[in-house]
Amino acid sequence: MTRLVTNPRHGALRNLLTIADLGPDVAAGIDEVMNLTDSFVEVSERTIPKVPALRGRTVVSLFFEDSTRTRLSFETAAKRLSADTMNFSVATSSVKKGESLRDTIETIEAMGVDAIVVRHSSAGVPLQIARWAQSAVINAGDGWHEHPTQALLDCYTIRQRFGDLAGRRIAIVGDIRHSRVARSDVAAFTALGAEVTLVAPPTLLPPSLEGWPVKVSHDLDEMLPELDVCYLLRMQRERMTEALIPSLREYVTRFGLDAARADRLPDDALVMHPGPMNRGVEITAEVADRPNTVIIDQVRNGVAVRMAVLFLLLGSGTGWGGEVEG
Ligand code: NCD
């Protein structure tokens, strides 16, 4: 039986805007979230998957951009911790009447919220909100910048299969240039000792890779037999202002993970994707449904990881109310 020990660093995490916010020792910060996530995975498997840890706390979701998984997952996580949730839908709010971001935040905070989960198409908006707000702010994706909870759930999913990430060879494949997931994943995976290679045509890489602790390849085929994880990204066409690839067909021919390519991966290698995936583009339908493709595990783990993050930010420090005496 598990018994969760109250986290001694509790309360140290004020906001989660980037992976670097997890502390000066990022690996230790990630480990802390991972250990707490183990307990919340156990809660999620109970008949009644709910603990009173955040009773009386309110979490508001402020999504200025579309989302399925991230939004539902934060909401489920908050509810499983017994927090109240508020959903702010930009399309039906006074933002449409021209209300500023600052006024919107002030209005929301006046209602008494404890955490704001924000997604925005511009990098830096969560940081700006954190400067104004009293509440804890969690970045659920800002422009091309970061998406820290996605990286945490990715680390958790890899750890679940392999034990740890140290020395693991991970390729992140595809539209890295526009991907906040790639930026957070690189920071998290390398902090845990993985070797990351970015695999993409030159036009889909960031304009500068200075300071990125990664290797680069333009050839997925040569990488495949060496990989522990093949992490695919969506072509983010909504963020492309110019034609960065000659044609989607050419991209698929060189970088799409089809059966022949997947067969060249080592037997236990994982295929991952943050979703939403475009079957037939970065991954074929058949590969998407293989046993080593862990996309659904990523989604499942996302709830427990976000419970851990919400608890670290908002928990009272007296335990999470779900301990099992052992
Ligand atoms: C990603 C996002 O929105 O950053 N999705 C997600 O949160 N799971 C990736 C994407 O949109 O391609």
Side-chain angles (χ1 to χ4, degrees), residues 65-67 69-70 119 140-141 143 147 150 179-181 233-234 236 238-239 273-276 306:
E65 235 192 28
D66 298 341
S67 169
R69 278 148 281 273
T70 307
R119 169 170 285 193
H147 191 353
Q150 177 69 45
S179 176
R180 52 200 176 205
V181 173
L233 295 170
R234 184 175 65 90
Q236 295 167 64
E238 77 278 15
R239 302 211 169 94
H273 193 302
R306 288 174 175 122

Side-chain angles (χ1 to χ4, degrees), residues 238-257:
E238 77 278 15
R239 302 211 169 94
M240 293 185 195
T241 46
E242 55 197 317
L244 293 173
I245 46 169
S247 78
L248 207 52
R249 225 181 71 191
E250 184 169 320
Y251 176 83
V252 172
T253 313
R254 288 184 55 205
F255 297 96
L257 195 70

Side-chain angles (χ1 to χ4, degrees), residues 12-74:
L13 192 63
R14 165 93 182 81
N15 301 301
L16 182 63
L17 308 177
T18 65
I19 286 295
D21 284 347
L22 290 163
D25 182 348
V26 171
I30 297 175
D31 274 349
E32 191 174 348
V33 176
M34 303 287 97
N35 293 336
L36 200 49
T37 302
D38 284 335
S39 312
F40 290 128
V41 165
E42 187 262 314
V43 169
S44 300
E45 286 163 356
R46 294 180 190 175
T47 328
I48 301 171
K50 202 161 175 149
V51 286
L54 297 186
R55 197 156 50 197
R57 304 296 191 125
T58 301
V59 177
V60 61
S61 300
L62 192 61
F63 276 59
F64 292 89
E65 235 192 28
D66 298 341
S67 169
T68 303
R69 278 148 281 273
T70 307
R71 183 177 187 142
L72 290 177
S73 160
F74 267 112

